[in-house]
Amino acid sequence: MSGAAERAPERLVVGEVEERWTEAWAQAGIGAADPSRPGPAYTIAIPPPNVTGVLHMGHALNNTIQDLLIRTRRMAGDETMWICGTDHAGIATQAVVEKDLAKAGVRRADLGRQEFLNRVWDWREEYGGRIIGQLRRLGCTLDYGRERFTMDDGYAAAVMRVFVDLHAKGYIYRDHYMVNWDPGLGSAISDLEVEDREVTDEMVSIAYPLSDGSGEIVVATVRPETMLGDTAVAVNPGDERYAHLIGRTCTLPLVGREIPVVGDEHVQPEFGTGALKVTPAHSPDDFEIARRHGLPAVGVIGEDGRMTAEAGDRYAGLTPDECSARVVDDLSAQGLVRERREYSHTVPFSHRSGARVEPLISLQWFCDMTALAAPAIEAVRQGTVRFTPSKWGEVYLRWMEEIRPWCVSRQLWWGHQLPVWYRGDEIHVGLEAPEGEGWTRDEDVLDTWFSSALWPFATLGWPEQTPELERFYPTAVLSTARDIIFLWVARMVMMGIEYMGEVPFRDVYIHSVVQAPDGRRMSKSLGTGVDPVELIEANGADAVRFGLLMMSSTQDVRFSQDRIDQGRQLVTKLWNATRLVADRDGRVGHDAPPAPATVADRWIFSRIARTVAEADELREGFQLSALADGVYHLVFDDFCDWYLELLKAGEASAEVAGHALEQLLALAHPLIPFITEECWARMPGAEGLMASHPPPAAPGPVDEAAEAEIDAVREVVTGLRTYRHKRNLPPRAALVMDPPPAPAVAALDPVEPAPPHRGGRRSSRRQAEGA
RNA sequence: GGGCGGUUAGCUCAGCGGUUAGAGCACCUGCCUUACACGCAGGGGGCCGGCAGUUCAAAUCUGCCACCGCCCACCA
């Protein structure tokens, strides 16, 4: 209270503070949504982290952003719902458990499907969802009581229903089609799970003798082993060198198969030899050519990534690389290799396993996306869904306009097993197995993203018409990283429109990717990762939140410890300012803003009003680093450096100081919830939690006159300080010859020529050169 | 092959048509001033990647160039 002299040093123990308030918020049900409460609703669905996941920098930033938004609206009185949950993450989770089992020398095949799945569920029970606890440490006020999982019963029911429905509508179908086969994973993967890498291969030119012995046609390839599966040679019909050969046949070396020469516009005469070997089973290009010409496909590489029996006894069982070498040797022995040279090109690799993707024909389930995409395109075109930054909307549209069928089946065990049953040639798609004996269920599971696509409504209970669904759909904002715009965001828009008749969110905010300090990707394998949990332990959650917000931008940013330090300084500063104001008998909890007693009082109110208005605007535009910066400078420059000094000099009133601090805390709370809660609790007159405090009501309109006056004071005082500093005079030495600095405010009233007003932010410290 | 973005103080980044270009950190100087030395005060430092153009006015708009990065794409 009083007695500054004997006040015990109050240490701020951040970890203890965080623990205490995390608990208090939970007790008060701060994150718990109440669908029955009237008023506006505000919903955010968290991008569900993987069950296997631990908090990384992307999560830390993204969830800080979401918590900032949700706390702001909660304080404003909206009924807020921040949907909490995790994703089963099929491939990632299965891989983790398999790796775990491998330590004990167990493979998943040893266990069998059901037992393996039991192990995964056990694993999930024991280790899954750690990340949820880490989100609490970050201060996130999710609705933890309604935590969902993409494989819990209700959610799984929604997934099954959607699959069956899309099949009934004719969008989902089964087909033999060229897929990206991941030999490392033993599964098909979608186009989006493939990444291209630059690879140097050897391009080999091979002579295929014409069947009538009249010569040969030379083809070029970087995959000689696939020639075993060739079923044609294609040339451009306009290519004079070869046009006359169209319709004739040649003999496939090593195999002896007679294959036709076909004409196809796709073939580029300038490339290679101008003649293309056609391997429909192992090249997407060739697959299309074969479809156009009705050519058969011969699969010579199997799903195990090895040569099949179709490749012939001499090659079956080899890896493609081994086979390639042997084929080239054999062709050389027959004198059919015309040229060998290095060739650099891009080759698909699996994002999941890192294996080189093997394009092959496989029987899979696909979803045609064109009909689903149409309204989702319109939604973004018309601005029903808005991307920030807007360029991502363009990116979304470009992809959506050329959307291709989605391969939704995966040859995994962990996931939503397809609701498909077979008996002989019969196929049944439905929620239940059909009547009768002999039906077996499809072994495959759905792509993880199929279930993720339903997240904004399946989490709220769909297909049941729950109060939550009624009240909290659609959500307001989706905040995420750009790498899942296609994988997830686009699909949610499509599914939301299809099943809810309404877009799942109005705003999509694409936040920065935080890179390692040296500009490389943050990754565990590179050793470039920075662990946010360690950061929280070392700096406090508020500092980490603030620092990340300061770093965030419209582009990728490098991690900067300096920004975290800045956050820590802000936390400390607020704490000390609170102590000062409390010691000066400043009180909070006024029914109405206290009347300003001095120009300094009017000024701080004006500065707060200005910053609050700016903050609202910046938040609307997701300019979060500018928002954080504004709060920082309001606290440091205006409130602490000037206003509190004026208060100490008797130029401001304690009542106003208390109220101003309250506004400051309310403004800063969504960014740095822990310290603001702690400061609030310290203030005389405080009731309730800052987390449920009304937002910073601007304590009055901007007061231009007061701002001009204080600006003038600041200039004079700064000028005096500079003068003294340059004269090497001690800062506190009274300047007998100078105007007295202390009563500056009083002396300057009225201010004569108002100095040029600088519209606001803060006053520069580098003026008054010649004072 | 298309598309997008970046290049601003030693470092990490704001600013994106209008008075002398900003922040944090780092640096220099002076202060243990009774909220805070995790602090206070004062200060130095940038021809805003290059070239050309539009404009009364350009980091800010246009074009070209140079590096750097990302996304999309079925050229053997």
Side-chain angles (χ1 to χ4, degrees):
Chain A
M1 282 279 200
S2 60
E6 71 276 6
R7 187 187 52 248
E10 293 178 87
R11 291 270 308 285
L12 185 64
V13 183
V14 171
E16 183 273 327
V17 167
E18 290 173 1
E19 216 170 295
R20 190 149 37 78
W21 292 113
T22 303
E23 182 56 28
W25 294 328
Q27 286 298 321
I30 287 296
D34 178 0
S36 68
R37 194 171 149 268
Y42 185 84
T43 310
I44 294 179
I46 191 175
N50 294 356
V51 268
T52 59
V54 291
L55 196 72
H56 66 233
M57 205 54 72
H59 296 125
L61 171 61
N62 193 203
N63 289 291
T64 295
I65 291 166
Q66 292 168 73
D67 194 54
L68 158 62
L69 298 173
I70 209 99
R71 281 181 185 272
T72 301
R73 297 304 288 256
R74 183 182 298 124
M75 290 170 80
D78 289 5
E79 185 57 26
T80 55
M81 156 72 102
W82 187 3
I83 298 170
C84 176
T86 51
D87 192 290
H88 69 280
I91 293 168
T93 308
Q94 177 161 327
V96 166
V97 176
E98 282 192 62
K99 202 171 160 190
D100 201 41
L101 289 171
K103 287 182 206 154
V106 180
R107 285 168 308 171
R108 100 176 124 114
D110 302 335
L111 296 175
R113 184 175 186 126
Q114 195 49 54
E115 182 51 28
F116 178 76
L117 289 179
N118 290 342
R119 298 293 182 92
V120 182
W121 280 103
D122 289 347
W123 188 92
R124 178 187 120 81
E125 283 305 306
E126 195 164 350
Y127 305 107
R130 262 180 308 173
I131 192 168
I132 299 294
Q134 294 173 325
L135 290 172
R136 277 185 200 269
R137 292 203 61 182
L138 232 204
C140 294
T141 45
L142 290 131
D143 191 349
Y144 295 104
R146 285 190 174 83
E147 181 180 338
R148 297 302 301 268
F149 179 52
T150 50
M151 276 179 57
D152 65 38
D153 290 343
Y155 202 106
V159 173
M160 292 299 107
R161 192 184 172 103
V162 167
F163 184 94
V164 171
D165 182 70
L166 289 174
H167 177 263
K169 286 172 175 158
Y171 300 155
I172 285 185
Y173 59 94
R174 193 182 192 217
D175 195 10
H176 281 282
Y177 208 80
M178 179 64 56
V179 298
N180 304 297
W181 187 263
D182 178 345
L185 200 62
S187 174
I189 56 178
S190 79
D191 296 332
L192 293 171
E193 292 167 301
V194 172
E195 73 178 62
D196 286 334
R197 291 190 207 157
E198 189 80 13
V199 159
T200 300
D201 278 326
E202 184 184 54
M203 185 182 280
V204 184
S205 298
I206 306 167
Y208 288 7
L210 292 167
S211 303
D212 58 14
S214 65
E216 62 184 32
I217 185 163
V218 180
V219 298
T221 181
V222 292
R223 304 278 316 264
E225 71 279 14
T226 64
M227 61 88 64
L228 301 169
D230 283 3
T231 57
V233 171
V235 298
N236 192 298
D239 189 337
E240 292 176 5
R241 295 170 298 175
Y242 300 119
H244 65 285
L245 298 175
I246 294 171
R248 294 165 65 180
T249 63
C250 56
T251 305
L252 188 61
L254 308 182
V255 179
R257 184 157 58 229
E258 296 274 304
I259 59 175
V261 178
V262 300
D264 195 286
E265 297 287 349
H266 171 79
V267 181
Q268 313 238 328
E270 340 49 85
F271 192 92
T273 62
L276 170 67
K277 59 187 275 311
V278 180
T279 320
H282 301 292
S283 157
D285 269 349
D286 298 5
F287 182 78
E288 294 299 332
I289 293 173
R291 284 223 158 170
R292 284 196 285 274
H293 298 275
L295 300 167
V298 176
V300 292
I301 301 171
E303 294 183 346
D304 57 358
R306 289 177 178 273
M307 305 309 292
T308 65
E310 291 276 12
D313 293 344
R314 184 167 164 69
Y315 307 106
L318 297 178
T319 67
D321 278 349
E322 292 163 352
C323 183
S324 173
R326 186 173 291 184
V327 163
V328 173
D329 283 349
D330 292 349
L331 289 168
S332 295
Q334 294 185 23
L336 294 172
V337 173
R338 291 288 171 272
E339 190 189 8
R340 303 173 67 164
R341 60 186 177 84
E342 288 212 327
Y343 178 65
S344 190
H345 63 148
T346 58
V347 169
F349 281 79
S350 166
H351 224 72
R352 318 304 322 198
S353 72
R356 183 164 171 163
V357 164
E358 201 60 71
L360 48 82
I361 294 172
S362 176
L363 186 56
Q364 302 283 344
W365 288 90
F366 294 87
C367 185
D368 183 74
M369 305 304 287
T370 47
L372 293 167
I377 288 170
E378 277 310 293
V380 170
R381 279 215 190 112
Q382 293 177 2
T384 316
V385 171
R386 293 179 298 254
F387 277 83
T388 305
S390 58
K391 67 180 173 187
W392 298 114
E394 312 295 321
V395 171
Y396 166 101
L397 286 174
R398 265 196 294 280
W399 184 74
M400 290 287 272
E401 280 157 5
E402 290 182 38
I403 198 158
R404 297 192 292 172
W406 175 14
C407 176
V408 294
S409 47
R410 293 295 123 91
Q411 288 66 55
L412 303 174
W413 285 351
W414 177 242
H416 297 101
Q417 195 171 353
L418 303 188
V420 177
W421 283 264
Y422 306 102
R423 184 171 66 182
D425 289 341
E426 296 175 274
I427 298 176
H428 173 79
V429 176
L431 296 175
E432 304 286 337
E435 297 291 319
E437 295 294 306
W439 290 91
T440 54
R441 188 168 183 176
D442 196 311
E443 296 272 302
D444 290 354
V445 300
L446 285 163
D447 181 4
T448 293
W449 297 104
F450 190 92
S451 52
S452 312
L454 318 181
W455 186 250
F457 52 94
T459 46
L460 294 171
W462 188 91
E464 304 302 321
Q465 283 301 314
T466 61
E468 286 85 356
L469 186 65
E470 174 71 25
R471 184 96 169 89
F472 296 111
Y473 189 92
T475 70
V477 179
L478 179 81
S479 176
T480 190
R482 64 172 192 285
D483 55 337
I484 52 178
I485 291 174
F486 307 144
L487 283 165
W488 190 47
V489 179
R491 288 163 179 170
M492 278 193 288
V493 176
M494 292 188 272
M495 293 302 190
I497 293 173
E498 181 72 13
Y499 288 100
M500 294 297 296
E502 201 177 350
V503 296
F505 29 73
R506 301 299 309 274
D507 278 295
V508 178
Y509 176 57
I510 303 296
H511 68 248
S512 301
V513 172
V514 182
Q515 301 168 330
D518 61 6
R520 290 189 293 171
R521 267 184 101 80
M522 270 203 191
S523 102
K524 265 169 278 174
S525 51
L526 286 174
T528 51
V530 178
D531 179 1
V533 176
E534 285 174 20
L535 278 182
I536 291 171
E537 278 163 6
N539 304 280
D542 284 333
V544 173
R545 291 170 62 114
F546 183 86
L548 286 172
L549 288 172
M550 285 298 288
M551 282 175 233
S552 79
S553 170
T554 55
Q555 61 174 73
D556 290 356
V557 290
R558 299 184 183 195
F559 177 78
S560 159
Q561 176 65 39
D562 288 343
R563 294 303 190 188
I564 308 282
D565 290 341
Q566 199 181 344
R568 217 176 44 194
Q569 286 169 350
L570 177 62
V571 165
T572 308
K573 197 71 173 173
L574 260 183
W575 172 245
N576 286 312
T578 299
R579 289 170 50 213
L580 173 68
V581 175
D583 281 353
R584 300 275 164 160
D585 293 325
R587 294 182 61 81
V588 295
H590 298 90
D591 291 333
T598 68
V599 68
D601 287 343
R602 284 167 51 213
W603 172 78
I604 195 64
F605 276 176
S606 181
R607 290 293 307 128
I608 291 171
R610 196 185 280 280
T611 308
V612 166
E614 284 168 359
D616 287 341
E617 207 167 300
L618 291 169
R619 196 183 311 102
E620 288 299 307
F622 298 99
Q623 302 199 58
L624 305 178
S625 62
L627 170 62
D629 190 60
V631 169
Y632 178 89
H633 286 289
L634 180 66
V635 169
F636 267 78
D637 298 354
D638 296 325
F639 192 71
C640 292
D641 289 353
W642 289 94
Y643 183 74
L644 291 185
E645 292 305 321
L646 289 166
L647 175 69
K648 289 196 285 190
E651 299 289 346
S653 82
E655 286 296 281
V656 167
H659 187 70
L661 178 64
E662 178 173 350
Q663 301 305 312
L664 237 49
L665 294 176
L667 175 66
H669 181 261
L671 289 78
I672 46 175
F674 293 106
I675 190 61
T676 47
E677 197 72 80
E678 181 74 5
C679 288
W680 175 244
R682 277 308 171 95
M683 288 302 294
E687 283 176 29
L689 291 168
M690 183 46 71
S692 49
H693 186 281
V702 167
D703 186 335
E704 302 278 0
E707 293 199 0
E709 205 163 326
I710 295 295
D711 278 348
V713 171
R714 288 166 73 152
E715 287 197 31
V716 169
V717 172
T718 303
L720 288 173
R721 285 170 178 164
T722 306
Y723 175 81
R724 271 191 293 229
H725 195 261
K726 291 198 167 160
R727 290 276 180 119
N728 264 324
L729 297 169
R732 278 183 301 160
L735 296 185
V736 182
M737 307 303 284
D738 287 337
V745 173
L748 277 164
D749 186 13
V751 175
E752 284 310 342
H757 183 65
R758 280 180 308 283
R761 287 293 163 75
R762 68 194 70 82
S763 27
S764 160
R765 289 178 180 171
R766 50 189 299 266
Q767 63 254 15
E769 289 292 323

